Amino acid sequence: MHGPELSSESSAITRLTPDSDSDDSDLEIGELGESFKLQKREKSEVDGAVDDTDEERYHDAPRRRASVSTVQSYQLYTPDEERAVVRKFDKRLVLFVALLYMLSFLDRSNIGNAKIAGLERDLDLDSNKFDWVLTAFYIAYILFEWMSILWEIVPAHIYVTAIVLSWGIVASLQSIATSFASLLVLRTLLGIGEAGFTGIPFYLSFFFKREELAFRTGCFISAAPLATSFASTLAYFIIKLGEYLPIASWRLLFLVEGFPSVLVAVWCWYIIPDSPDTATYLTKREKKVARLRLRKQKDPKASHKLNLKEVLATLSDPKSYLTAFMFFFTNMAFSSMPIFLPTIIHEMGHTVLISQALSAPPYLLSFIIVIFTAYLSDKMQNRSYFVIFHALLSASGYAFLALAGRFGLGIWWRYVGIYPAAIGFFSVITIIITWTINNQESESKQGTGFAMLQLIGQCGPLVGTRLYPESDAPLYVSGMVACAGAMVFVACLSVGLRVYLGRKNRIGRGDYGMIGDEGMGLVGSMRKEKEHFKYML
């Protein structure tokens, strides 16, 4: 029931598909297998030939008197129905969480713009104090990474509303900070609020297939470079406006960029669904299709509860640590560049306003490339090649920045090096997150693996935020070299993970998170042999 065959089967499919508002009960695993047989027989008859094997299997199946309504209840869904559901999730869910992440990243990274807009001077922050302000955010962020597991426990619409409201209020309150201590406390609280939001890619796996997840995660993560480019552009106009207002430009910056999160938090309560069943924009039939399309990847009888045995298995799994350390080294570069880029450009000799403006284009291009990379990764069903390529691309950008500074090349040559550095690490972040979720076999393992990824990976910014001390200005060669080395190491780890997963696929010793006739859903009911979980390379 794919592409070219669709037209020849359309009449049969339409006849067997229930009405859009059909109130059929959920299909059991065994019934899904029987449904597939019915569809396959119908297909063969339409094509004018019935395969002998299919005919024998059909006659050997348990005989029962099937009414029209029974046949309808066994029918799955058409490709058009599935596409309609996916389109709705893309428009109503993915775009909205991308907006939330954009606001999140805007609120955490605008301190870099505030720094050159007078924050350091007004609060008497030296280089060491400013580094501690940055570090406080990430310490809190790391300590509360365990909150990713709450996506399994707390209804999503309640959870998201609470965390978005919390970081919106705290981000706005930065505008009234009067000392190093008050700003330090506010940045710590901001880290706690944003830590809970890191589980969004795991949350998206409740709605999308594993082969669809990279593109959706790419749309979500691409909001970060978009937010940074937007922040730089907005900072330019805010600083310009601040020249005519009695409030300091950096205070106005925090207020204008922080308060929108408070307003959007109200929408979260109504827009964020807890599961496909609670998406108000889906019909009853579409909700059923949304569940059935994930039947091969999720146990339909599983509840959103943590399985302790699977949690412990994930904690001892080498692939969990490989992706986590890839995330760690990528975050060294990812966390430092958005914060220090305005300063780096300013140190090249540009004015404050020009520095804000020139900070935007590298991130705008990154936004486009991240989405394109995620799309290709899903289309090719491959993660490692893209991580390796973009990690080396980012490393080359940082290496060029270091060499340009070392050998005294012009400021525009150094500015060009920013582009591959930013494009590379944003793309790597997207694919690593998706790769982690793809290669965990159940929701408990996905939640635990994602929490490990964040807990270990977010320690990277503790290093990254200290790579650009004022003593290294204006070239920051040591920081550039450190980031280049980190991204090369990410590429090496990716090669190692690909080899490890390939070996597990060849010898068929994957962890059977969902195996057998019951766990494998439709495939299990059609095949007597057990199939191991196939890891995505």
Side-chain angles (χ1 to χ4, degrees), residues 125-152:
L125 302 179
D126 57 25
S127 178
N128 185 56
K129 287 182 178 178
F130 185 74
D131 285 346
W132 271 111
V133 167
L134 301 180
T135 304
F137 172 89
Y138 286 106
I139 289 176
Y141 201 76
I142 293 165
L143 291 177
F144 284 85
E145 284 292 349
W146 59 268
M147 292 171 64
S148 296
I149 299 178
L150 294 179
W151 291 93
E152 288 259 36

